[in-house]
């Protein structure tokens, strides 16, 4: 049974305000001068203290296309770190449910194209883990997909350029856990401000627990990479890492557990020195242990044409009882005493209950499947990746989503709650919000949300029911549509099987909706499905679509210090 959070213990301990950003600030403590470039030991930060530490290791892959893939063997179901649900977050009637009888419902565009991703059916790949942790990112000419502990590189027509390759192949020039372990929970992001790829996965099957981070040398993901290992000691298992790109750093959040994985310790947020990592130089990280009152926190990931304003902090968010919590994390790489974590501000939202709030074990597992008694995990205890950021010049927006229960009764199916927040660095507000469930049959969960340069949105997710196999769908909205509404649902890929096998409830644990930086208009989505019922036999699909009214971009801005050259701007 999952216990609930102890209300405000962390906030009181740190003397932080729960109602606004204008309260106390956490400051870093300067540490001894010289940075050790190769190996070091990172101590677990105490709650609220900003800790400045060097990398544990760094290295280089000269050419990934010429590096043999390190094989992976065996099958395993990956650890699931359940988070405590917030008090009062169940039994609520949804206060933002979009009426499925809305008529006429505007028509979301069909896919431009779809293609098979890494998984069952791809030559050279054997499914050896559950769940796939499917995520992807799109660059100017390529698409990179990561599925737990493997990845592949495609061109935009869907032709495979590299892979499938085990993720630990990227770290084969290091020593220790990043080289020998292939533990997954992988994430890929495209640093649009520098035209670089960033791939990361954790190393947790041996100690010290580490995060393995690779940064491409160019926009070609098949070429050279700079690789790093950051250590978190032997006592804290850093689960579910999620990354966002920002002009001054690569920001990552973790859900911390004890070494046995039996006790949740709270969220941690870290920033890696982006400017150093872009050139392969010795890099450092600055981390804050946020305490056990907060879990499932996401960092913001910059999208769109305009970078965040100079000096803007990275924004962090999590869902709370009928509300969202928002923080600002400002990192100073020159004077670490100026680094600060401020917040949270609590933003009330329309009432909701987390998905599957009435199941017997209270673990978020209730999604039915056709011809199977196995119920799937909604992962409703956290916001779903990504917390996407957009600077439109006259306003700044954040978008995010999560899985909720639909309706007032315990028998209701699950739907997707989505939000647009504005003015995160001033007085944050909820610009719009809604729960999407356009019928009374399908369960919808595992969402991912993005926005294009015209302010249109795309929302991807999984669907399933007792009479329908798990499938892939999406919806969207134009900036000019009625606020708080999405358009019709489009099925991107019909499933043809259900997940079976004793205890195989895991699905996800996340999916990926991303925006194409080449035109600022095309949405790319990836997640899992099955072509036949079974166990350890998932497939994935990659698809893209565009709203015809979106005006493609012709210029873009480069932000931050790229290889020491400073800020610049240029043409696509």
């Amino acid at each position: 049974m999952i216990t609930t959070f102890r209300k405000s213990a962390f906030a009181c301990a740190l003397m932080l305000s729960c109602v606004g950003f204008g309260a106390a600030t956490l400051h870093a403590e300067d540490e001894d001068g010289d940075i050790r470039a190769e190996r070091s030991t990172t101590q677990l930060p105490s709650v609220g203290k900003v800790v400045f530490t060097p990398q544990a290791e760094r290295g280089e892959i000269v050419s990934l296309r010429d590096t043999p893939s390190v094989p992976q063997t065996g099958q395993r179901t990956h650890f699931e770190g359940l988070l405590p649900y917030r008090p009062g977050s169940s039994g609520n009637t949804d206060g933002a449910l979009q009426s499925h009888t809305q008529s006429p419902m505007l028509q979301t565009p069909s896919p431009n194209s779809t293609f098979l991703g890494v998984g069952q059916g791809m030559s050279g790949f054997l499914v050896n883990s559950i769940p796939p942790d499917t995520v992807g990112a799109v660059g100017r000419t390529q698409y990179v997909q990561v599925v737990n502990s493997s990845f592949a590189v495609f061109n935009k027509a869907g032709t495979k350029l590299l892979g499938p390759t085990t993720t630990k192949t990227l770290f084969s020039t290091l020593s220790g856990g990043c080289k020998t372990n292939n533990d997954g929970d992988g994430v890929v992001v495209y640093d649009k401000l520098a035209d670089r790829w960033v791939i990361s996965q954790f190393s947790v099957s041996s100690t010290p627990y580490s995060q393995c981070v690779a940064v491409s040398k160019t926009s070609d993901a098949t070429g050279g990479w700079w690789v790093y290992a950051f250590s978190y000691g032997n006592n804290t298992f850093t689960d579910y890492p999620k990354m966002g790109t920002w002009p001054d750093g690569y920001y990552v959040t973790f859900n911390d557990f004890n070494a046995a994985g039996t006790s949740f310790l709270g969220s941690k947020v870290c920033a890696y020195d982006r400017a150093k990592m872009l050139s392969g130089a010795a890099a450092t990280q600055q981390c804050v242990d946020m305490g056990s009152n907060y879990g499932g926190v996401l960092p913001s990931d910059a999208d769109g044409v305009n970078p965040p304003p100079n000096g803007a902090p990275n924004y962090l968010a999590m869902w709370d009882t009928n509300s969202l919590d928002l923080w600002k994390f400002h990192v100073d790489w020159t004077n670490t005493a100026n680094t600060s974590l401020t917040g949270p501000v609590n933003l009330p939202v329309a009432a909701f209950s987390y998905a599957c709030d009435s199941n017997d074990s209270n673990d978020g597992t209730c999604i039915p499947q056709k011809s199977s008694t196995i119920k799937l995990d909604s992962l409703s205890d956290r916001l779903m990746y990504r917390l996407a950021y957009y600077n439109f010049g006259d306003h700044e927006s954040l978008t995010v989503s999560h899985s909720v229960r639909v309706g007032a009764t315990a028998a209701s199916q699950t739907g997707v709650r989505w939000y647009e927040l504005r003015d995160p660095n001033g007085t944050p507000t909820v610009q719009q919000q809604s729960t999407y469930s356009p019928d009374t049959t399908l369960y919808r969960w595992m969402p991912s949300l993005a926005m294009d340069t015209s302010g249109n949105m795309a929302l991807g997710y999984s669907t399933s029911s007792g009479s329908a196999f798990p499938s892939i769908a999406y919806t969207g909205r134009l900036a000019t549509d009625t606020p708080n509404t999405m358009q019709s649902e489009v099925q991107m890929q019909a499933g043809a099987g259900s997940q079976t096998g004793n205890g195989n409830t895991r699905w996800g644990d996340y999916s990926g909706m991303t925006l194409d930086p080449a035109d600022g208009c095309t949405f790319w989505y990836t997640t899992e499905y099955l072509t036949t019922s079974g166990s350890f036999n998932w497939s994935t699909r990659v698809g893209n679509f565009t709203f015809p009214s979106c005006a493609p971009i012709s210029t873009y801005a480069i932000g931050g210090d790229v290889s020491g050259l400073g800020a610049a701007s240029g043409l696509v």
Side-chain angles (χ1 to χ4, degrees):
M1 182 67 69
I2 301 175
T3 57
T4 58
F5 286 105
R6 290 184 296 276
K7 192 72 172 176
S8 72
F10 172 70
C12 294
L14 297 179
M15 299 180 293
L16 295 179
S17 170
C18 290
V19 296
F21 277 152
T25 299
L26 307 177
H27 290 287
E29 296 184 5
D30 284 321
E31 297 200 358
D32 201 297
D34 294 337
I35 298 172
R36 289 168 286 171
E38 296 308 319
R39 296 198 64 85
S40 63
T41 300
T42 302
Q43 300 300 318
L44 174 67
S46 60
V47 173
K49 178 183 177 183
V50 183
V51 174
F52 173 83
T53 56
Q55 70 204 16
E57 275 192 284
R58 65 186 170 106
E60 178 183 10
I61 294 291
V62 175
S63 174
L64 185 58
R65 71 180 70 90
D66 298 321
T67 303
S69 178
V70 180
Q72 173 81 9
T73 59
Q75 288 186 337
R76 59 177 172 170
T77 299
H78 283 266
F79 170 81
E80 179 179 18
L82 297 176
L83 305 180
Y85 287 106
R86 303 296 272 185
S89 59
S90 64
N92 302 317
T93 300
D94 195 292
L97 180 62
Q98 179 180 342
S99 173
H100 64 268
T101 61
Q102 173 187 333
S103 180
M105 182 170 276
L106 299 175
Q107 182 63 46
T108 304
S110 298
N112 300 325
S113 65
T114 72
F115 56 87
L116 181 69
V118 181
Q120 188 86 1
M122 175 171 280
S123 176
F125 184 78
L126 176 66
V127 175
N128 59 11
S129 62
I130 292 177
D133 293 355
T134 315
V135 70
V138 57
R140 302 198 180 276
T141 62
Q142 297 173 339
Y143 186 88
V144 176
Q145 185 196 40
V146 173
V147 288
N148 212 315
S149 53
S150 297
F151 70 99
V153 181
F154 305 87
N155 66 20
K156 289 186 176 180
T159 301
K160 184 160 55 70
L161 304 177
L162 183 143
T165 300
T166 56
T167 307
K168 71 177 181 180
T169 302
L170 280 168
F171 307 99
S172 56
T173 59
L174 300 180
S175 61
C178 284
K179 176 179 181 176
T180 59
N181 301 328
N182 200 41
D183 291 336
D185 260 28
V187 170
V188 56
V189 292
Y190 189 70
D191 183 346
K192 308 149 197 77
L193 306 177
D195 280 331
R196 305 288 187 89
W197 300 94
V198 186
I199 294 177
S200 68
Q201 74 170 3
F202 62 16
S203 169
V204 293
S205 57
S206 63
T207 56
Y209 298 111
S210 301
Q211 189 68 8
C212 317
V213 184
V215 180
S216 67
K217 296 181 181 180
T218 69
S219 61
D220 179 9
T222 71
W225 292 75
W226 304 113
V227 295
Y228 294 83
F230 294 93
S231 174
Y232 302 100
N234 299 338
N235 300 317
T236 302
F237 171 32
T238 46
D239 188 35
Y240 206 73
K242 293 292 167 286
M243 181 176 285
T245 61
W246 209 249
D248 65 352
Y250 297 127
Y251 287 76
V252 62
T253 54
F254 302 92
N255 295 323
D256 285 350
F257 291 82
N258 64 346
T262 57
S263 179
F264 175 66
L265 305 179
S267 279
K268 187 203 326 289
V269 57
C270 297
Y272 304 139
D273 192 335
R274 171 179 175 265
K276 296 294 180 60
M277 297 171 75
L278 287 170
S279 63
T284 57
Q285 65 173 342
Q286 297 187 46
C287 298
V288 179
D289 183 352
M290 300 176 71
S292 62
N293 201 41
Y294 301 109
V297 176
L298 289 180
S300 50
D301 183 33
D303 268 352
V305 178
N306 301 314
N310 289 336
N314 188 263
Y315 307 106
L316 312 171
M318 64 166 275
W319 73 255
D320 207 330
T321 306
N322 297 328
S323 62
L324 297 174
D325 289 334
L326 198 64
W327 290 260
K328 297 192 293 187
F329 190 22
H330 167 73
V331 173
D332 190 322
W333 297 106
T334 302
N335 182 0
T336 59
N338 292 330
T339 293
S340 62
L341 174 67
T342 313
V345 61
N346 184 261
L347 298 175
V349 302
F352 65 87
S353 295
Y354 59 86
C356 306
D357 68 334
S358 61
N359 75 328
D360 293 338
S361 57
N362 194 33
D363 62 358
T365 300
C366 75
I367 310 295
Q369 308 175 85
K370 181 179 179 178
S371 304
S372 175
T373 59
I374 298 294
K375 301 293 181 70
L376 299 178
D377 187 356
S378 66
L379 216 68
S380 60
D381 57 0
R382 65 201 71 187
L383 292 175
M384 288 284 95
Y385 193 61
R386 296 176 299 141
L387 175 64
Y389 166 91
Y390 317 84
N391 180 4
F392 290 99
D394 61 346
H395 70 276
E396 300 169 74
S397 292
L398 295 167
T399 62
V400 75
S401 57
H402 60 114
S403 303
V404 298
R405 189 186 80 185
V406 175
T409 67
S412 298
Q413 78 266 31
T414 62
V416 175
R417 172 66 70 89
W418 60 271
Y419 309 94
E420 180 191 359
L421 312 179
R422 288 196 180 178
D423 197 19
N425 202 22
T427 303
T429 59
V430 180
Q431 178 69 15
Q432 53 180 332
Q433 59 182 310
S434 185
T435 296
Y436 189 73
S437 180
D439 57 45
T440 59
T441 304
L442 288 175
Y443 287 63
R444 293 168 177 83
W445 84 109
M446 208 59 59
S448 185
L449 179 64
M451 181 182 282
D452 69 19
T453 55
S454 295
N456 309 316
M457 293 189 196
L459 177 65
Y461 47 87
S462 294
T463 67
S464 187
S465 74
S467 59
F469 295 121
S471 299
I472 304 173
Y474 67 83
T475 184
R477 59 169 280 111
L478 295 173
T480 54
D481 287 351
T482 302
N484 309 310
T485 63
M486 287 285 174
Q487 298 183 2
S488 63
E489 181 172 273
V490 175
Q491 188 177 77
M492 191 179 97
Q493 178 66 47
S498 291
Q499 189 162 283
T500 62
N502 185 33
N504 286 338
T505 64
R506 304 289 298 286
W507 190 270
D509 278 338
Y510 37 96
S511 65
M513 181 72 77
T514 51
L515 178 66
D516 196 322
D519 62 8
C521 290
T522 303
F523 294 107
W524 291 73
Y525 186 59
T526 185
T527 192
E528 71 166 303
Y529 68 106
L530 281 79
T531 59
T532 186
S533 294
S535 177
F536 288 92
N537 68 326
W538 45 260
S539 299
T540 68
R541 200 78 185 170
V542 179
N544 63 84
F545 79 96
T546 310
F547 284 104
S549 62
C550 180
I553 60 175
S554 58
T555 62
Y556 71 97
I558 297 177
D561 188 355
V562 182
S563 300
L565 300 178
S569 63
L571 298 176
V572 171

